DNA sequence: AGCCCCGGTGAAGTC
DNA sequence: CACCGGGGCT
């Protein structure tokens, strides 16, 4: 039975066997981290510990599911299922459901997604009479979110001189008031946003010592995966829970920390030792995933960062193919070339399409690849983007579910009170909202006690309202007694949504109808799955192991504990699914190329990986050029991208790209320069012959124009001024960076004629047609010309690149 | 109440 | 270019 440990290398094995006390495992990409975690948990159980006492926090629910499956093979599936394993959000949402009433929330609280939250913010801005152009809802929400993730309450925020000063400086002095109102509104609606799930867990553990003790005692062994991406709020939760037994094991790779934008703090892992002085650290440095070439290239890139643990990643795998670089002239051409490359490899290497991934920095880049793949009939699948559950028709149906579960959910109520149309118009809704606001109650409470509020609603409307509330109440009543599918189906039909969409014969209407059917099918699947033990456990068993806790009867009616998967359980499940989680079994097994952002690719691996859009201001993103730490995070992102590849990585960039309907000129990313040249396959373009051999020699001679000319990446940013010498833009041995050489090939050298253009010159552009130069800024080759085209409007073009013919 | 058109504005990443 | 929200018309 303990053979399993023999499948580990010595460090892995030690990491798995050291089950007691604080442990940190620094796990390089592809170093068998999941394997270690799996065996470690199995080992804890083999030593006689109960699965109920193990808490394992993962980055996606899918990772949790897969790990459970693997553990099940060692300890048996019955036991494995009992482990508390899932994302921070889903685990603590479950605990909060159980403890919610202590915090004044109902146990059936609604979880607001980002759209709901934004909608609440918009309402509040209206109510406070603030301009949503200044207080942009998404910015406001971000600010509130980072406050919560730093455990700063609305009250503290509103009274903190520092945040006040910051908000005044950004012309948003009332942000604190918005935060206060936002929390109040959500509380009143019985709703938590994503950050509240963590924030309120902290409140719970802070203010209810008995609860803290209960969970501290329960979770004797705690494991946290992807620890480098935890935020302060998560850090405190873990620290609190682990305080009693200190059997805390965190696993992570500082080199793969890529979520600081949502509050992740790389310092959590870098400083872990300070919190636990008797910490044992294990470094998993052998890579089992990738070729030597890939490992070497990735290591060279990440070595440029300053903030990191020293690691020596190596592999015994074969050397493998060099990294290929594809240069294109436009984003569409990039799509075509990448698709062609995949098509070719698919045949020459007899690779499956599912062996390929296209990874990009931003979702918006997917378009050109989709088009190209369609043209070549290559099957593909896109992760992310607008998720199924965000679609209008799906949100409408879900809003019925949500309102039936929690009547105070104002966001859902507003969505459906007049959909399908039932004669409750905007005027009426406004009156209801006003009354709710005045009395500090939810809209439902106004609707349900309409006669108590003299708000000038005529009897006809009052009747319609009462029909609506009655309908919702009947839905609510059936939820505990019927399974999720029966309820959902009943609601979808009775509410009139299905009918409404069925009669819509436009293609969009048909597709919406199909989506509703798909949702219902999904619910059917859910009903047929076995329930996870955690729900059962929360219904009572949780305290049986735990003598000092008070048994609490949350459910007294026996019907509710029978094996019946209800709609409210379904809703709890889906709100917290990640994109990767939403992938169905069929999709996973289908032979399709995967397309996703690099962020979404974390934890995945593919034999052939295409990393695309390697251009300055795109990757690294222009938003990351303001500080060293942001740039380092971009570099870690690049590191993550490269290390997804098992056999071969391909990198591509385009020299022009559409953005906001305009063509913009792009310079190859500095990250291309940072690759170890020995790992890169140079493109054999004929233009290369133009350069004398010594241009390619690593000479110390500064290169002449035009290559040396302008540096977009530093223009308009004070990045260099702020930290002039801190960053090594490229390793010193390559004085003529690869990317610049590549950019130079193919670039027409006769553009120097453009240096002679003057204001008033009339020129012809192959795309924009004829135009007149109205202004020139700077001196060639930096010169930028404003050209008024007769048919295409005014464009600002860099003369160095612009393909112009002089007309007169 | 619903539809359509216009204009303004905007794309980093996510539980 | 694409989307969304507002305003105006039917």
């Amino acid at each position: 039975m303990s053979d399993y440990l023999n499948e580990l290398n010595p460090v892995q094995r030690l990491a798995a066997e050291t089950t007691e006390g604080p442990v940190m495992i620094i796990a390089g990409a592809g170093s068998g981290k999941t394997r270690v975690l799996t065996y470690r948990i199995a080992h804890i159980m083999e030593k006689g510990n109960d699965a109920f006492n193990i808490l394992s926090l993962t980055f996606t629910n899918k990772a949790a599911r897969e790990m459970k499956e693997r553990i099940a093979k060692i300890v048996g599936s019955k036991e494995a299922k009992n482990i508390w394993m899932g994302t921070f959000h889903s685990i603590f949402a479950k605990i909060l459901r159980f403890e919610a009433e202590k915090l004044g929330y109902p146990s059936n609280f609604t979880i607001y997604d980002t759209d709901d939250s934004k909608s609440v913010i918009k309402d509040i801005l209206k109510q406070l009479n603030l301009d949503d152009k200044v207080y942009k809802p998404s910015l406001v929400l971000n600010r509130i979110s980072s406050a919560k993730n730093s455990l700063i309450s609305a009250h503290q925020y509103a009274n903190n001189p520092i945040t006040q000063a910051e908000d005044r400086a950004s012309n948003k002095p009332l942000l604190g008031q918005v935060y206060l109102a936002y929390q109040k509104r959500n509380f009143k609606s019985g709703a938590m946003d994503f950050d509240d799930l963590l924030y309120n867990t902290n409140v719970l553990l802070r203010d209810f010592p008995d609860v803290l003790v209960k969970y501290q005692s329960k979770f004797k062994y705690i494991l946290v995966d992807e620890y480098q991406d935890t935020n302060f709020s998560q850090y405190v939760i873990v620290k609190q829970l682990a305080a009693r037994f200190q059997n805390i094991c965190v696993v992570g790779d500082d080199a793969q920390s890529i979520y600081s934008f949502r509050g992740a703090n790389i310092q959590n892992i870098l400083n872990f030792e300070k919190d636990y002085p008797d910490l044992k650290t294990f470094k998993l440095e052998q890579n089992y995933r990738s070729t030597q070439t890939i490992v070497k290239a990735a290591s060279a890139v990440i070595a440029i960062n300053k903030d990191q643990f020293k690691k020596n990643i190596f592999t015994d795998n074969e050397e493998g193919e060099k990294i290929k670089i594809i240069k294109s002239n436009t984003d569409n051409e990039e799509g075509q070339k990448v698709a062609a490359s995949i098509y070719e490899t698919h045949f020459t290497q007899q690779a499956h399409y599912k062996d390929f991934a296209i990874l990009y920095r931003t979702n918006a880049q997917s378009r050109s690849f989709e088009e190209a793949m369609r043209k070549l009939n290559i099957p593909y699948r896109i992760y992310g983007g607008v998720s199924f559950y965000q679609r209008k028709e799906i949100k409408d149906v879900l809003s019925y579910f949500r309102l039936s579960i929690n009547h105070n959910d104002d966001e859902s109520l507003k969505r459906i009170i007049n959909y399908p149309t039932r004669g409750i118009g905007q005027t009426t809704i406004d009156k209801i909202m006003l009354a709710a606001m005045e009395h500090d109650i939810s809209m439902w409470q106004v609707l349900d006690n309409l006669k108590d509020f003299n708000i000038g609603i005529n009897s006809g409307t009052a009747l319609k309202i009462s029909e609506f509330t009655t309908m919702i109440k009947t839905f609510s009543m059936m939820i505990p007694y019927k399974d999720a599918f029966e309820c959902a189906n009943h609601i979808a039909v009775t509410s009139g949504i299905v009918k409404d969409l069925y009669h819509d014969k436009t293609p969009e209407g048909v597709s919406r109808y199909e989506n509703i059917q798909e949702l219902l099918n999904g619910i059917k699947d859910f009903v047929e799955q076995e329930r996870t033990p955690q729900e059962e456990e929360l219904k009572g068993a949780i305290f049986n192991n735990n003598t000092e806790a008070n048994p609490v009867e949350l459910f007294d009616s026996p019907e509710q504990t029978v094996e019946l998967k209800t709609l409210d359980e379904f809703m709890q499940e889906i709100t917290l699914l990640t994109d990767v989680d939403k992938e169905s079994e069929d999709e996973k097994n289908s032979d399709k190329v995967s397309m996703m952002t690099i962020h979404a690719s974390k934890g995945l691996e593919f034999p052939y990986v295409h990393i695309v859009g390697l251009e300055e201001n795109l990757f690294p993103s222009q938003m990351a050029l303001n500080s060293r730490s942001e740039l380092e995070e971009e570099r870690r992102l690049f590191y993550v991208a490269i290390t997804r590849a098992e056999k071969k990585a391909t990198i591509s960039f385009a020299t022009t790209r559409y953005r906001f309907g305009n063509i913009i000129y792009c310079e190859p990313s500095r990250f291309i320069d940072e690759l170890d040249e020995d790992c890169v396959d140079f493109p054999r373009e004929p233009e290369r012959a133009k350069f004398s051999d010594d241009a390619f020699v690593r000479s110390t001679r500064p290169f002449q124009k035009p290559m040396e000319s302008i540096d977009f990446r530093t223009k308009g940013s004070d990045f260099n001024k702020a930290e002039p010498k801190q960053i090594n833009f490229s390793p010193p041995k390559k004085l003529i960076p690869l990317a610049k050489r590549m950019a130079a090939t193919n670039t027409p050298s006769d553009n120097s004629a453009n240096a002679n253009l003057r204001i008033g010159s009339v020129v012809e552009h192959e795309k924009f047609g004829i135009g007149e130069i109205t202004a020139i800024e700077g001196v060639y080759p930096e010169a930028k010309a404003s050209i008024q085209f007769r048919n295409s409007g005014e464009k600002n073009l860099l003369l160095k690149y612009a393909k112009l013919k002089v007309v007169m």
Side-chain angles (χ1 to χ4, degrees):
Chain A
M1 198 50 168
S2 56
D3 285 354
Y4 57 91
L5 287 173
N6 293 329
E7 294 175 26
L8 300 174
N9 74 30
V11 195
Q12 288 178 331
R13 180 168 177 156
L14 214 51
E17 285 179 325
T18 311
T19 60
E20 312 302 302
V23 166
M24 176 163 70
I25 303 174
I26 302 297
S31 62
K33 165 187 82 165
T34 311
R35 196 187 191 85
V36 172
L37 271 174
T38 305
Y39 290 145
R40 184 184 166 87
I41 292 172
H43 195 62
I44 290 170
M45 291 169 72
E46 293 280 297
K47 285 167 81 178
N49 292 291
D50 196 321
F52 285 109
N53 296 124
I54 301 173
L55 171 65
S56 173
L57 297 164
T58 57
F59 198 68
T60 63
N61 289 301
K62 182 179 166 222
R65 206 165 48 234
E66 288 175 356
M67 211 188 297
K68 272 192 188 178
E69 279 164 19
R70 291 170 70 166
I71 295 170
K73 292 202 178 117
I74 304 171
V75 301
S77 63
K78 195 166 168 290
E79 273 300 292
K81 266 189 282 181
N82 291 335
I83 303 165
W84 277 70
M85 196 180 286
T87 62
F88 270 90
H89 288 88
S90 59
I91 293 283
F92 295 111
K94 277 176 188 158
I95 289 180
L96 281 173
R97 295 239 174 250
F98 191 69
E99 310 284 354
E101 279 153 21
K102 294 192 175 64
L103 300 174
Y105 282 88
S107 67
N108 58 4
F109 63 84
T110 302
I111 298 172
Y112 276 175
D113 66 21
T114 312
D115 291 339
D116 299 320
S117 300
K118 271 188 203 155
S119 162
V120 174
I121 301 269
K122 281 182 199 159
D123 263 9
I124 288 167
L125 295 177
K126 231 180 263 170
Q127 185 193 338
L128 296 179
N129 207 10
L130 296 172
D131 183 359
D132 65 0
K133 301 260 171 356
V134 181
Y135 290 80
K136 288 197 177 140
S138 55
L139 288 182
V140 172
L141 192 60
N142 271 342
R143 187 101 173 128
I144 292 176
S145 168
S146 43
K148 280 185 197 168
N149 286 329
S150 311
L151 299 184
I152 298 169
S153 71
H155 202 258
Q156 287 166 337
Y157 186 97
N159 294 304
N160 183 322
I162 298 171
T163 52
Q164 280 172 346
E166 282 169 359
D167 289 341
R168 243 179 282 119
S170 68
N171 199 25
K172 293 187 262 296
L174 292 180
L175 226 155
Q177 300 308 310
V178 179
Y179 185 5
L180 277 166
Y182 175 78
Q183 285 310 97
K184 196 168 149 190
R185 272 277 298 269
N186 288 354
F187 183 75
K188 203 175 70 186
S189 297
M192 298 194 197
D193 68 17
F194 289 134
D195 305 307
D196 286 332
L197 295 174
L198 305 175
Y199 183 88
N200 287 333
T201 299
N202 268 298
V203 173
L204 183 73
L205 300 179
R206 182 195 66 197
D207 296 349
F208 297 87
D210 54 322
V211 175
L212 175 63
V213 167
K214 182 167 80 189
Y215 290 102
Q216 277 179 340
S217 314
K218 172 175 173 52
F219 296 129
K220 290 185 182 143
Y221 293 90
I222 300 177
L223 299 93
V224 188
D225 195 6
E226 307 284 6
Y227 190 70
Q228 77 281 356
D229 282 327
T230 52
N231 61 36
F232 183 69
S233 185
Q234 293 167 318
Y235 160 84
V236 177
I237 292 174
V238 170
K239 196 174 174 192
Q240 291 276 69
L241 288 179
R244 174 163 172 188
F245 290 106
Q246 304 235 344
N247 295 325
I248 166 83
C249 171
V250 302
V251 187
D253 181 3
D254 53 298
Q256 295 184 60
S257 166
I258 55 174
Y259 279 101
S260 74
F261 71 90
R262 68 172 200 217
N265 188 352
I266 192 171
Q267 299 305 325
N268 286 352
I269 193 162
L270 297 174
N271 290 333
F272 193 69
E273 201 162 5
K274 289 184 190 145
D275 286 334
Y276 302 94
D278 53 343
L279 176 72
K280 293 197 183 72
T281 302
F282 301 96
K283 286 188 194 174
L284 309 182
E285 296 177 309
Q286 179 166 3
N287 177 303
Y288 294 93
R289 175 188 297 156
S290 312
T291 64
Q292 284 187 29
T293 301
I294 289 163
V295 169
K296 193 174 160 196
S299 303
V301 166
I302 203 67
I304 297 169
N305 276 3
K306 211 171 87 181
D307 283 340
Q308 60 177 317
F309 285 120
K310 288 246 169 341
K311 281 190 288 289
N312 177 30
I313 306 293
F314 67 98
T315 184
D316 288 344
N317 292 343
E318 58 176 11
E319 188 179 341
E321 278 187 73
K322 296 201 171 191
I323 295 177
K324 192 174 138 199
I325 301 186
I326 298 177
K327 176 194 168 189
S328 309
N329 291 318
T330 65
D331 44 1
N332 286 331
E333 188 184 313
E334 184 186 34
Q336 289 157 18
K337 285 191 176 175
V338 168
S341 156
I342 290 174
Y343 190 76
E344 191 190 326
T345 312
H346 166 70
F347 284 110
T348 58
Q349 307 297 314
Q350 276 144 37
H352 295 288
Y353 279 129
K354 66 177 175 194
D355 292 342
F356 295 86
I358 299 176
L359 307 182
Y360 34 77
R361 180 66 182 80
T362 69
N363 278 312
Q365 287 165 256
S366 68
R367 202 209 78 250
S368 62
F369 299 97
E370 283 181 76
E371 279 172 15
M373 305 286 265
R374 268 201 296 267
K375 272 187 198 146
L376 293 185
N377 272 328
I378 301 175
Y380 63 90
R381 159 156 171 64
I382 294 186
Y383 294 72
V386 181
S387 112
F388 181 71
Y389 295 102
Q390 313 274 67
R391 298 196 183 152
K392 184 191 171 302
E393 64 277 16
I394 299 299
K395 278 213 90 171
D396 290 337
V397 179
L398 296 183
S399 291
Y400 272 94
F401 300 168
R402 282 178 20 174
L403 188 65
S404 305
I405 292 162
N406 170 14
H407 293 163
N408 294 325
D409 178 350
D410 281 359
E411 287 309 304
S412 295
L413 188 141
K414 279 190 290 182
R415 228 188 142 86
I416 58 171
I417 187 168
N418 200 32
Y419 176 75
T421 322
R422 50 174 70 83
I424 305 175
Q426 197 55 51
T427 325
T428 307
I429 296 172
D430 285 344
K431 285 177 192 163
I432 295 162
M433 280 174 72
L434 200 67
M437 223 107 81
E438 270 172 19
H439 295 85
D440 224 359
I441 51 177
S442 71
M443 291 170 70
W444 173 272
Q445 285 168 305
V446 177
L447 292 183
D448 200 30
N449 303 288
L450 204 55
K451 51 194 170 316
D452 300 341
F453 301 90
N454 195 8
I455 54 173
I457 284 175
N458 65 40
S459 61
T461 309
L463 184 66
K464 287 167 187 160
I465 288 175
S466 109
E467 280 167 7
F468 175 72
T469 53
T470 307
M471 175 177 71
I472 297 294
K473 281 181 195 168
T474 58
F475 295 161
S476 307
M477 278 165 60
M478 72 184 287
I479 286 175
Y481 300 100
K482 300 279 182 194
D483 74 40
F485 178 71
E486 277 184 78
C487 283
N489 207 21
H490 177 81
I491 293 174
V493 173
T494 314
S495 65
I497 291 190
V498 169
K499 204 165 87 185
D500 190 67
L501 293 177
Y502 186 74
H503 289 303
D504 183 350
K505 293 298 179 196
T506 64
E508 299 81 39
V510 171
S511 136
R512 288 198 198 113
Y513 182 77
E514 287 168 357
N515 284 336
I516 304 285
Q517 293 306 327
E518 197 182 328
L519 175 68
L520 292 173
N521 289 340
I523 298 176
K524 189 147 193 123
D525 286 348
F526 168 80
V527 169
E528 284 159 8
Q529 281 162 26
E530 220 180 312
R531 179 191 268 113
T532 66
Q534 276 73 39
E535 282 92 354
E536 298 294 335
E537 194 188 350
L538 278 177
K539 289 179 181 177
I542 183 172
F543 306 109
N544 296 346
N545 297 335
N546 193 334
T547 46
E548 56 233 274
N550 303 324
V552 181
E553 293 296 330
L554 189 63
F555 300 95
D556 12 54
S557 69
E559 293 93 323
Q560 292 183 342
T561 57
V562 300
E563 281 297 323
L564 180 74
K565 295 196 76 180
T566 54
L567 191 60
D568 54 320
E569 286 179 278
F570 174 76
M571 292 304 289
Q572 289 167 28
E573 195 115 316
I574 61 161
T575 324
L576 296 171
L577 291 185
T578 65
D579 277 332
V580 188
D581 295 332
K582 289 171 192 155
E583 187 188 30
S584 74
E585 282 303 309
D586 294 352
E587 284 165 335
K588 204 180 344 180
N589 299 327
S590 64
D591 190 23
K592 293 178 178 170
V593 174
S594 298
M595 293 167 49
M596 65 187 88
T597 63
I598 301 169
H599 282 91
S601 76
K602 192 165 78 154
L604 306 179
E605 55 189 22
F606 302 89
Y608 302 95
V609 170
H610 285 262
I611 310 165
V612 300
L614 262 279
E615 294 139 34
E616 286 295 308
N617 295 333
L618 180 61
F619 191 19
S621 157
Q622 74 273 18
M623 316 187 68
L625 299 178
N626 297 317
S627 68
R628 178 176 62 84
S629 65
E630 284 176 306
L631 182 61
E632 290 200 354
E633 178 148 317
E634 292 288 304
R635 191 174 286 112
R636 291 194 293 270
L637 199 52
F638 186 45
Y639 175 80
V640 168
I642 300 172
T643 54
R644 297 310 95 200
E646 294 168 1
K647 287 194 173 131
K648 184 175 180 186
T650 305
I651 283 170
S652 85
F653 68 94
T655 52
T656 69
R657 178 177 293 282
Y658 263 101
R659 198 161 187 172
F660 294 124
N662 291 320
I663 292 177
I664 58 151
Y665 292 88
C666 316
E667 194 172 308
S669 169
R670 69 191 71 190
F671 294 153
I672 294 179
D673 297 336
E674 293 174 2
L675 290 167
D676 190 320
E677 284 203 5
D678 299 342
C679 304
V680 176
D681 181 19
F682 286 83
R684 303 273 180 257
E685 295 190 57
E687 281 81 359
R688 212 185 131 182
K690 273 197 227 157
F691 294 87
S692 65
D693 276 348
D694 63 354
F696 285 86
V697 170
R698 288 160 188 167
S699 101
T700 52
R701 183 162 51 88
F703 214 80
Q704 304 295 308
K705 67 169 188 178
M707 290 80 163
E708 189 62 24
S709 57
I710 186 170
D711 214 354
F712 283 95
R713 62 195 179 206
T714 54
K715 238 198 153 189
S717 129
D718 57 358
F719 174 70
N720 268 0
K721 285 171 231 149
E723 300 176 49
K725 297 277 181 217
Q726 303 248 5
I727 298 189
N728 223 345
F729 280 115
S730 53
K733 63 174 183 174
K734 301 179 284 191
L735 289 173
I736 306 158
L738 171 61
K740 287 199 173 178
R741 270 178 284 162
M742 293 213 36
T745 62
N746 263 348
T747 303
S749 50
D750 53 4
N751 270 5
S752 56
N754 286 346
N756 300 323
L757 292 172
R758 294 287 172 266
I759 293 174
S761 301
V762 176
V763 293
E764 183 173 359
H765 186 274
E766 58 177 21
K767 201 142 210 153
F768 302 136
I770 306 250
E772 182 180 342
I773 298 182
T774 53
I776 294 180
E777 202 183 302
V779 179
Y780 194 87
E782 285 92 348
K784 197 167 35 166
S786 300
I787 308 179
Q788 186 67 45
F789 287 101
R790 288 181 194 165
N791 298 318
S792 326
E794 192 184 51
K795 308 279 173 197
N796 291 312
L797 302 176
L798 271 159
L799 290 180
K800 173 169 66 148
Y801 293 117
K803 288 179 186 147
L804 297 173
K805 270 203 321 230
V806 181
V807 176
M808 59 180 277

